[in-house]
Amino acid sequence: MAEQNMQTNDRRETAIEVSGLVKVFSDFWHRPKVRAVDGIAFRVPAGGSVFGLLGPNGSGKSTTIKILLGLLMPTAGTVTVLGRHPRSVEAKRSIGYLPEESYLYRYLTPRETLDFYGRLFGLDPAARRDRTGELLEMVGLSHAADRPVGEFSKGMARRVGLAQALVNNPSLVILDEPTSGLDPIACRNVKDLILALAGHGKTVLLSSHLLADVEDVCTELVILHSGRIRAAGLTRDLLVRPDRTRLTIPSVPPDVLKGLLADLRAASGSDPQVDHPSLNLEQFFLDVVREASRDETAPSGASLAGKPAGFLLK
Amino acid sequence: MKRILAIAWLTCRESVRSGTAVSLLCLALAAVGWLALTLQGDGTLAGQAEVFLRYASGAAISILGLASLWLGAGRIASEVDDRTIQTIVVKPVRTAEIWIGKWLGLVLVNAALLAAVGCVVVAGVAWILHRSGSRAQQERDDAIRRVMVCRTPLAPLPGAAGEPGECETREGDGSHDGDTHRSARIAREVVPPGGSRTWTFNLPGGSSGGLWLQFAFDYGSAERLPMQGTWSLTRPGSTNALWAQAVSGLSAGRHRVEIRQAGKLSGILTLTFTSARAQDTGVIVFRPGSSATILLGDSGMPAQLLRAMLIALFKLSVLAAAGLSCSALFTTPVATFAATSLAVATLCLQYFLSIPEGAATPHSCSTHGDQDDATKAAWYQAAADSVTRAGATVLKPAYSLDGIGPVSDGLTVPWALVGRAALVLLGGYALVLAALGIVALRRREMAGP
């Protein structure tokens, strides 16, 4: 009994566990064609972690995610999601998924789309109405809530896709290329949202080939190439350079700086690098657009997104 | 159930917003309208209305049937192709709920379309019967009483030999017997010049509405002379006619005569047809199984058409299930091809079944070659026969369930028939197809590389 309880606790602490996973795509005659995933194993801890699957195109990221969601069946290996089989209905109750493209029903409006997915989760009408409103506000589509999704740009459809992934307030959020097709503001908002979700105890698994996205939000990552894991670990452990030290200080007079450099040169035995820290382009762009948007009255596309929906942070 | 209804709602909404439902409705209504303007029937107003009722309903149901098959065939497969199904599959929805939801959505769309078609068909019949023209008011009134009212058929009492109707055929100078059971049955339906044929009915008391006699016959001789004679109703053993009606000039086919008498008829009655033809001037042969029937009770045609449309809806539901299961098994083009092939095979089998027994046997292959060729040919023929027979056995119950035919013949569609149709079509065929589709969907990968 005690052993069973321990196993249950382990399961709760592990959101996803993959072991010896292999996926081979076959042709019509069942002849092996592509080995998309080749014996990978990793574990995603539950409760506030942001786990990144990083790799170039065709490295097996999306295939791995599709297996985790039960959309594909593994050729070999075992996969558990929230302690259950990926095709288990119980596991799916707590999962939110944003696919790599926004596969939405083009004749539905965003409001109807969110209502429909809310019904699939068995939410009552009041909860569906409230969550739909909050999510549309969050992704900045309140003003376009009653236009068919088929008329939307890729970025707007992506926002609807993100909203539908969160309608059930999932404890595990799986995002496949979450910032693909989004403008820099929406990208930043998505990254902020991911951090907010993780901050409230939700587990986020995201796949991307955009290094900046992964670096900004992921606490842990694996790097895939040709279906195999080439590197894995905590992001800070993988990126830190223990043989280097960075020192940031307020501006000082040139003679003071010269003295400091002389001391550092004497201590380290090499010339230290000196420059002025600058804003990155993303931050600069966001500042400019926020300033410009103060005069905006009626946006035709997606507006600046609001804060994360309240029900996600409870 | 909530999830099934949500998916059904999605399917309905997609069908409406994509224009599919409206296009289908326009196509079905165009067919109905075109038939209303062009069909002539047998020249009588009632005949024209009956023919319109039969063919307009049949055409609209055929269009909707094909559409159900194709819509079903494209439903799941196309969603797998464009990957929209991924967003449903990752939600806490069982495979069976997805299949049933899609099917229910198609059934609801079909129900709405059938309801619209039914209303337009009834309006078309009313328009044919009421439009101004050269028809006499009496003919128009008779046609309205005949077409807009459905009646319950009362079959003759079974004969001592277990035949469908007790009958006695006299040939002026003696009885007529055939050599075999079948030929005897046909022989009993033959009425030579001057001869007669009788049936016995047990009329229930207290039935409201009028009484009608319906009979069907074919020419029994090369002269093709029309029916001429007298129909009469008597008590058994009595020669006093409670009702008699002379008929003349009726061509082969089905006819209906109103039984107008002073009092209410009930109990055992003998119906007799006596040919008034002179010797050697025309034999008539009553159609076995539908030779003569008494129709009683009144029920509005629209109400009966509604029951017939329910049976049609069950059939469309089976077609939608067949399409969906093909869709769960194959990709869109293959599923569409498979569903179409299924429809063609079904129609072919229906054709084979409509051919009288014995006439459907394919011609034997030539045996001019050696013995091996003959054996092979015989083997192929036997295999083809077995497949045809198996298909016919499987599909025969579905073919026998028809509501439109009786209504256009002025007959009621009993609720028992509607219930049997629901049991056979939904509880049998649709259930088997659903099981096949759900298993296929469960085993299918919903995403590609």
Side-chain angles (χ1 to χ4, degrees):
Chain A
M1 190 67 185
E3 192 181 345
Q4 202 174 8
N5 284 338
M6 273 180 62
Q7 281 179 352
T8 309
N9 287 337
D10 281 351
R11 277 181 196 159
R12 279 181 191 158
E13 287 166 10
T14 303
I16 296 170
E17 190 148 27
V18 173
S19 169
L21 184 64
V22 175
K23 178 62 188 177
V24 178
F25 288 107
S26 305
D27 63 9
F28 181 80
W29 308 107
H30 295 278
R31 292 175 303 192
K33 208 169 66 177
V34 180
R35 201 173 182 87
V37 177
D38 192 5
I40 65 171
F42 62 87
R43 174 183 169 275
V44 179
S49 64
V50 182
F51 192 93
L53 283 178
L54 194 61
N57 294 332
S59 58
K61 305 186 299 291
S62 291
T63 301
T64 305
I65 283 184
K66 285 169 188 168
I67 293 171
L68 294 178
L69 290 160
L71 293 170
L72 293 174
M73 292 171 211
T75 308
T78 57
V79 175
T80 56
V81 180
L82 300 174
R84 295 173 191 273
H85 190 275
R87 289 199 157 198
S88 149
V89 168
E90 286 307 313
K92 288 175 183 175
R93 285 187 207 286
S94 306
I95 298 175
Y97 169 54
L98 172 68
E100 56 187 317
E101 298 284 335
S102 301
Y103 307 129
L104 299 167
Y105 291 94
R106 51 184 285 107
Y107 297 108
L108 298 186
T109 65
R111 195 185 302 283
E112 289 166 344
T113 301
L114 297 185
D115 187 73
F116 168 65
Y117 290 118
R119 289 171 78 175
L120 294 187
F121 281 106
L123 299 178
D124 61 68
R128 293 204 304 269
R129 192 175 54 247
D130 293 347
R131 289 187 183 191
T132 297
E134 285 188 61
L135 287 168
L136 288 174
E137 186 70 29
M138 184 188 86
V139 298
L141 286 175
S142 295
H143 64 285
D146 298 313
R147 277 169 54 195
V149 171
E151 294 176 5
F152 281 10
S153 67
K154 186 183 176 187
M156 289 169 78
R158 198 90 186 118
R159 290 165 188 246
V160 180
L162 181 64
Q164 66 80 28
L166 300 172
V167 75
N168 59 322
N169 191 12
S171 58
L172 171 62
V173 186
I174 298 178
L175 308 170
D176 198 353
E177 309 282 0
T179 56
S180 160
L182 295 180
D183 60 51
I185 304 165
C187 282
R188 185 66 256 170
N189 286 333
V190 168
K191 286 190 270 188
D192 289 345
L193 175 68
I194 291 169
L195 292 172
L197 293 174
H200 284 79
K202 299 182 195 311
T203 306
V204 181
L205 172 76
L206 69 90
S207 96
S208 182
H209 57 259
L210 300 174
L211 307 182
D213 289 355
V214 177
E215 187 181 350
D216 282 355
V217 295
C218 290
T219 51
E220 199 171 337
L221 59 88
V222 297
I223 297 175
L224 292 170
H225 187 269
S226 302
R228 291 185 183 174
I229 293 179
R230 307 294 170 162
L234 295 173
T235 310
R236 63 169 183 273
D237 291 348
L238 293 172
L239 299 183
V240 74
R241 294 181 63 184
D243 58 334
R244 289 280 185 275
T245 302
R246 182 189 289 172
L247 181 69
T248 306
I249 56 169
S251 292
V252 291
D255 53 330
V256 176
L257 183 62
K258 198 179 277 182
L260 280 172
L261 287 175
D263 291 345
L264 288 171
R265 195 178 298 116
S268 65
S270 62
D271 284 337
Q273 267 186 325
V274 179
D275 58 12
H276 292 285
S278 60
L279 289 174
N280 61 23
L281 186 58
E282 182 189 20
Q283 190 57 52
F284 180 72
F285 177 85
L286 291 175
D287 290 345
V288 170
V289 173
R290 282 205 182 100
E291 187 66 30
S293 65
R294 282 181 194 161
D295 302 329
E296 193 176 304
T297 50
S300 58
S303 63
L304 282 179
K307 290 178 181 172
F311 74 90
L312 294 171
L313 308 180
K314 284 174 185 168
Chain B
M1 195 62 194
K2 272 184 187 174
R3 287 183 278 272
I4 291 174
L5 290 178
I7 294 170
W9 170 87
L10 175 76
T11 307
C12 290
R13 191 157 281 207
E14 271 211 301
S15 298
V16 172
R17 292 195 181 165
S18 65
T20 310
V22 176
S23 307
L24 276 175
L25 185 63
C26 291
L27 194 61
L29 295 186
V32 171
W34 181 71
L35 290 171
L37 294 171
T38 54
L39 282 178
Q40 293 301 318
D42 59 0
T44 64
L45 194 56
Q48 187 185 354
E50 282 177 349
V51 167
F52 167 75
L53 181 56
R54 179 186 290 269
Y55 287 99
S57 306
I61 290 168
S62 301
I63 289 169
L64 295 181
L66 275 178
S68 297
L69 203 61
W70 284 330
L71 281 178
R75 189 54 54 182
I76 293 174
S78 67
E79 288 194 18
V80 173
D81 290 346
D82 68 20
R83 302 175 188 187
T84 44
I85 204 164
Q86 288 186 19
T87 52
I88 293 184
V89 172
V90 299
K91 304 288 188 282
V93 182
R94 289 182 174 80
T95 316
E97 291 173 326
I98 295 175
W99 193 98
I100 295 170
K102 302 260 174 220
W103 176 77
L104 189 61
L106 291 175
V107 171
L108 291 175
V109 171
N110 273 327
L113 294 177
L114 270 180
V117 165
C119 291
V120 172
V121 167
V122 171
V125 170
W127 176 73
I128 288 172
L129 293 173
H130 289 92
R131 70 179 160 176
S132 59
S134 57
R135 309 283 185 177
Q137 187 61 39
Q138 182 61 41
E139 185 189 1
R140 197 170 298 162
D141 291 345
D142 286 346
I144 290 170
R145 278 198 299 147
R146 175 170 159 171
V147 179
M148 294 303 285
V149 178
C150 292
R151 297 172 176 87
T152 307
L154 180 69
L157 292 175
E163 291 297 315
E166 184 185 321
C167 54
E168 180 191 331
T169 304
R170 284 181 286 112
E171 219 182 317
D173 56 351
S175 62
H176 174 89
D177 290 313
D179 293 334
T180 64
H181 182 77
R182 194 172 162 214
S183 60
R185 190 176 162 190
I186 293 170
R188 268 194 288 272
E189 306 294 352
V190 176
V191 181
S196 65
R197 188 203 188 301
T198 61
W199 298 261
T200 305
F201 291 91
N202 185 6
L203 260 66
S207 64
S208 61
L211 283 180
W212 292 69
L213 165 66
Q214 181 169 283
F215 55 91
F217 72 95
D218 292 305
Y219 301 118
S221 55
E223 296 96 324
R224 301 169 69 82
L225 292 172
M227 175 185 266
Q228 192 174 328
T230 306
W231 287 95
S232 62
L233 270 174
T234 56
R235 295 278 175 205
S238 168
T239 53
N240 291 335
L242 301 169
W243 165 81
Q245 172 86 48
V247 291
S248 63
L250 296 183
S251 54
R254 185 172 41 243
H255 298 273
R256 202 178 290 175
V257 177
E258 188 170 8
I259 302 173
R260 290 178 177 163
Q261 81 296 338
K264 285 222 167 203
L265 294 175
S266 63
I268 305 290
L269 293 171
T270 302
L271 175 71
T272 307
F273 172 74
T274 308
S275 173
R277 289 245 161 241
Q279 198 69 25
D280 301 329
T281 56
V283 172
I284 64 162
V285 182
F286 284 101
R287 288 181 186 168
S290 60
S291 53
T293 313
I294 287 182
L295 308 178
L296 60 156
D298 288 352
S299 177
M301 182 271 282
Q304 299 303 316
L305 187 63
L306 177 67
R307 297 183 192 183
M309 286 295 185
L310 270 177
I311 295 176
L313 178 63
F314 299 153
K315 288 188 175 180
L316 296 185
S317 306
V318 173
L319 291 174
L324 267 181
S325 291
C326 287
S327 188
L329 278 164
F330 309 114
T331 56
T332 309
V334 181
T336 308
F337 176 75
T340 309
S341 305
L342 203 64
V344 171
T346 308
L347 289 173
C348 288
L349 274 174
Q350 191 169 18
Y351 171 71
F352 284 134
L353 284 174
S354 69
I355 300 172
E357 204 175 325
T361 309
H363 293 294
S364 295
C365 294
S366 169
T367 53
H368 288 307
D370 57 18
Q371 190 64 30
D372 280 355
D373 286 348
T375 311
K376 273 184 192 170
W379 189 88
Y380 289 141
Q381 190 169 321
D385 282 352
S386 302
V387 171
T388 308
R389 217 169 289 130
T393 307
V394 170
L395 294 171
K396 205 168 184 175
Y399 296 142
S400 65
L401 296 165
D402 179 30
I404 299 298
V407 173
S408 55
D409 288 343
L411 303 179
T412 53
V413 178
W415 279 116
L417 181 66
V418 179
R420 193 155 63 87
L423 196 69
V424 171
L425 296 170
L426 300 183
Y429 295 98
L431 198 65
V432 170
L433 289 167
L436 178 71
I438 290 165
V439 169
L441 202 56
R442 195 168 288 165
R443 295 174 63 85
R444 186 168 182 173
E445 292 191 325
M446 296 296 176

